Amino acid sequence: MRTVNIGICGFGTVGSGTFAVLNRNRELIRARSGCDIRVAQLAARRQILSSNLDSVSVIRDIFQVVENPGIDVVVELIGGTTTARELVMKAISRGKHVVTANKALIAVHGNEIFAAARDHQVIVAYEAAVAGGIPIIKSLREGLGANRIEWLAGIINGTGNFILTAMQEEGRKFDEVLRQAQALGYAEADPAFDVEGIDAAHKLVILASLAFGIPLQFDRVFTEGISAIELQDMEFARELGYRIKHLGIARETESGVELRVHPTLIPDTSLIAEVDGVMNAVMVKGDAAGPTLYYGAGAGAEATASAVVADIIDVSRSLNCSPEARVPFLAFSDASFNGKPVLAIEDVETAYYLRMQVLDRPGVLSQIASIMSDRGISIEAIIQKQPRPGENHVALIMMTNRAREAELMAAVKQIEKLDSQAGKIIQLRVETLDR
Ligand code: HSE
């Protein structure tokens, strides 16, 4: 049986989970991979307390792992995009295969990394970079390989979903829930990545590159976070039969590819509306398979380790193939790629939820309705609340049919200028996820 020596760089939440799963399921993994997978070296900044370290060389310097001629696979679990990039590029140039859970690294430097991997005929595997324990990369690359992907939409940040669920279901405060997510090991080192949608945008570009065969274009993703979502909008949305979820959406249209991350109203009858807490879910619409849904823990030590170890098994198993056969097909790493552009958000079409504060007097509604109709925007539903005692303004909630974002924004600007309108209009996109 072939021995595959792996070197793990980083022993935080995911690193320790990976080591634990490899040890606990050693025999099973040996049977499935047909290899004796051995953690030969482990590099970590802090001291490691584990009873399974007998044959493992524990060191401080991660770069010693890539310089070690005995290591076949470097497992990068340090995170970040600076040192991690250097480490991965060095590993590739030394002819080592790489397994990484680093979504930021792949999203931002993936084109360069995959090009180098192709040149050196090594594998860079990144299942753990998206949606933790859900095998969504393998599903797109393998399970749905026959399909033209029309769109995908997912809850791909566990921390954000954990916060939204606790606010919506338990009425808890944003900051307090975020602290809990950090304590549970779900949040990024900089939680702004979770809360502002950056982490979800990293994951979305990775999914889109596989779904549509386009280069990784992180800087082209439209990104809005969850920090501005108010409890009252969650309640109004419920009244209208919707729930607010933070979605990453990628869709191929005739003119280009939409890449967007934002809070979204989705019908409460949709399965994805039931996805709560740290759980993630990705819905993929293929032309042959139709819609399929993938659900599971999106963060956490062992859920993410499950994906890391799956890649280690895959890489180990494929070491028996010829190098040419095992390098993944990466059309999108070609710099001369000439496919569809990523669309600007102004060119995207969605339905909208709008919450306004308007004066409770005759004619206001008809003024607003005529601005909408002048721009060809059709109104789907309206709720108007009673004014609170002593207040002249009332909350007016409006759902629109699908419209081009540029038209909607122009209408919103025009309405905000009316003297009957107080303050900014709250705007949330709506997706029915059924076409
Ligand atoms: N901070 C990420 C999340 C971890 O909450 O989803 C998994 O990528």
Side-chain angles (χ1 to χ4, degrees):
M1 188 176 270
R2 178 176 187 153
T3 298
V4 178
N5 288 314
I6 68 168
I8 298 180
C9 299
F11 206 72
T13 304
V14 182
S16 51
T18 299
F19 192 63
V21 172
L22 279 170
N23 276 310
R24 190 170 70 238
N25 295 340
R26 183 191 305 268
E27 290 311 317
L28 207 143
I29 289 167
R30 183 202 296 262
R32 288 184 180 153
S33 63
C35 305
D36 185 18
I37 296 174
R38 209 169 67 86
V39 179
Q41 206 158 37
L42 208 164
R45 272 181 306 200
R46 62 182 172 85
Q47 202 194 346
I48 298 172
L49 301 171
S50 167
S51 52
N52 292 311
L53 287 171
D54 301 349
S55 58
V56 187
S57 129
V58 181
I59 52 170
R60 286 279 161 119
D61 180 6
I62 49 173
F63 286 95
Q64 273 186 34
V65 176
V66 294
E67 299 301 346
N68 180 344
I71 296 291
D72 302 300
V73 184
V74 173
V75 182
E76 183 277 304
L77 301 174
I78 60 171
T81 51
T82 313
T83 311
R85 173 178 172 230
E86 199 187 329
L87 183 82
V88 165
M89 292 303 281
K90 272 209 173 125
I92 293 170
S93 70
R94 306 287 187 275
K96 297 186 192 307
H97 306 282
V98 174
V99 171
T100 177
N102 192 332
K103 52 259 159 141
L105 178 73
I106 298 296
V108 177
H109 299 298
N111 297 324
E112 171 196 25
I113 288 170
F114 294 130
R118 189 174 48 184
D119 290 348
H120 289 87
Q121 300 199 328
V122 296
I123 302 169
V124 175
Y126 50 96
E127 180 65 68
V130 183
I134 306 176
I136 187 64
I137 304 290
K138 291 191 197 332
S139 298
L140 282 170
R141 277 167 66 144
E142 300 167 34
L144 295 173
N147 288 258
R148 187 173 62 75
I149 305 297
E150 295 172 9
W151 56 263
L152 59 86
I155 297 173
I156 45 180
N157 180 266
T159 304
N161 202 41
F162 185 76
I163 295 172
L164 283 186
T165 305
M167 285 172 69
Q168 194 151 310
E169 302 302 325
E170 300 157 32
R172 290 172 62 198
K173 294 253 164 36
F174 191 102
D175 291 342
E176 176 211 318
V177 190
L178 173 59
R179 277 196 297 278
Q180 190 189 354
Q182 286 172 305
L184 289 167
Y186 301 154
E188 295 302 299
D190 176 357
F193 274 46
D194 297 302
V195 169
E196 300 308 337
I198 301 161
D199 177 74
H202 285 146
K203 295 166 180 167
L204 186 71
V205 280
I206 296 174
L207 294 180
S209 72
L210 291 169
F212 308 124
I214 56 174
L216 294 142
Q217 298 166 79
F218 172 65
D219 53 349
R220 301 285 295 144
V221 188
F222 172 81
T223 307
E224 266 178 14
I226 59 168
S227 50
I229 299 180
E230 294 181 40
L231 202 51
Q232 56 174 318
D233 292 311
M234 292 177 165
E235 284 161 6
F236 288 138
R238 251 194 213 277
E239 230 174 280
L240 289 156
Y242 291 84
R243 291 196 69 192
I244 300 182
K245 290 289 179 191
H246 194 228
L247 292 193
I249 300 170
R251 183 191 297 271
E252 186 172 18
T253 69
E254 271 180 26
S255 45
V257 175
E258 297 175 9
L259 288 182
R260 48 197 172 96
V261 169
H262 50 70
T264 314
L265 272 75
I266 49 175
D268 57 14
T269 48
S270 156
L271 281 176
I272 210 167
E274 304 282 329
V275 175
D276 285 335
V278 73
M279 302 310 274
N280 279 194
V282 184
M283 214 170 164
V284 183
K285 173 83 190 311
D287 66 339
T292 51
L293 179 66
Y294 308 84
Y295 168 84
E302 291 214 355
T304 312
S306 162
V308 172
V309 175
D311 274 347
I312 293 173
I313 293 172
D314 262 9
V315 172
S316 303
R317 213 197 275 123
S318 71
L319 294 184
N320 293 323
C321 303
S322 75
E324 206 38 59
R326 69 184 177 226
V327 175
F329 176 63
L330 296 166
F332 55 84
S333 65
D334 185 352
S336 65
F337 177 82
N338 197 15
K340 285 187 179 171
V342 175
L343 295 174
I345 193 69
E346 291 76 16
D347 295 324
V348 164
E349 264 195 14
T350 63
Y352 253 93
Y353 161 102
L354 304 172
R355 174 163 59 82
M356 318 173 188
Q357 286 294 117
V358 298
L359 273 183
D360 188 21
R361 71 170 187 220
V364 170
L365 192 54
S366 78
Q367 248 182 334
I368 294 172
S370 88
I371 293 177
M372 291 296 200
S373 90
D374 287 350
R375 296 198 170 267
I377 303 167
S378 157
I379 298 166
E380 170 86 10
I382 292 183
I383 305 180
Q384 186 182 314
K385 294 289 168 186
Q386 294 281 351
R388 294 210 186 105
E391 280 184 20
N392 300 328
H393 287 87
V394 290
L396 178 73
I397 291 95
M398 188 173 277
M399 302 274 292
T400 75
N401 282 334
R402 288 169 69 83
R404 210 173 132 252
E405 179 108 1
E407 290 301 330
L408 201 288
M409 290 304 138
V412 163
K413 270 204 185 120
Q414 223 176 318
I415 298 169
E416 281 177 340
K417 285 194 188 130
L418 297 175
D419 63 359
S420 55
Q421 167 68 37
K424 292 288 246 187
I425 296 176
I426 303 294
Q427 309 151 35
L428 294 166
R429 295 172 187 85
V430 182
E431 292 287 342
T432 49
L433 304 178
D434 59 356
R435 45 178 227 116

